[in-house]
Amino acid sequence: MAPVKSIEDCEGVPHAAVFPTEEPKTIRLSLDEGESVGAHSHPERQVILYLISGEIDLQLDGESHIIQSGDIVQFDGMREVAPAAQTDSTALIVLAKKSD
């Protein structure tokens, strides 16, 4: 049977591993209004971010993208990313290994 989890049951703030031992890495990101994650990258990954609720100013290589509830964005993990919550926000992030 495939593993099934409730996103609300994932432990860890602001990051919670949804399936800690499985690939692709799947993370729930929870940020309160005004909270942010410093600029970073995921060089060996393709990234998909689905915003479940809230609004995030997603900085990609210093360029601002306002992401709202229901939006989904895909980008190369080589890009420098820095999300900042404009309102209380929850996102599901998938970090898939790049194929050679």
Side-chain angles (χ1 to χ4, degrees), residues 29-40 49 51 53-60 63-68 81-91:
L29 175 66
S30 294
L31 296 173
D32 292 332
E33 181 177 346
E35 280 190 306
S36 62
V37 176
H40 63 286
L49 183 150
L51 192 58
S53 63
E55 181 176 283
I56 289 178
D57 180 358
L58 186 67
Q59 296 284 319
L60 290 173
E63 184 178 327
S64 177
H65 302 273
I66 302 300
I67 309 300
Q68 298 182 351
V81 59
Q86 305 303 292
T87 63
D88 291 353
S89 300
T90 300

Side-chain angles (χ1 to χ4, degrees), residues 2-88:
V4 176
K5 290 182 101 173
S6 169
I7 199 82
E8 288 84 19
D9 292 341
C10 298
E11 295 183 21
V13 177
H15 303 91
V18 179
F19 304 107
T21 61
E22 302 296 323
E23 284 289 339
K25 285 188 177 181
T26 306
I27 297 169
R28 188 223 49 224
L29 175 66
S30 294
L31 296 173
D32 292 332
E33 181 177 346
E35 280 190 306
S36 62
V37 176
H40 63 286
S41 63
H42 302 277
E44 302 301 320
R45 305 282 180 159
Q46 274 298 119
V47 181
I48 297 171
L49 183 150
Y50 171 67
L51 192 58
I52 297 168
S53 63
E55 181 176 283
I56 289 178
D57 180 358
L58 186 67
Q59 296 284 319
L60 290 173
D61 294 332
E63 184 178 327
S64 177
H65 302 273
I66 302 300
I67 309 300
Q68 298 182 351
S69 178
D71 288 349
I72 189 167
V73 61
Q74 179 181 10
F75 56 93
D76 190 302
M78 290 293 291
R79 298 186 74 179
E80 188 172 84
V81 59
Q86 305 303 292
T87 63
D88 291 353

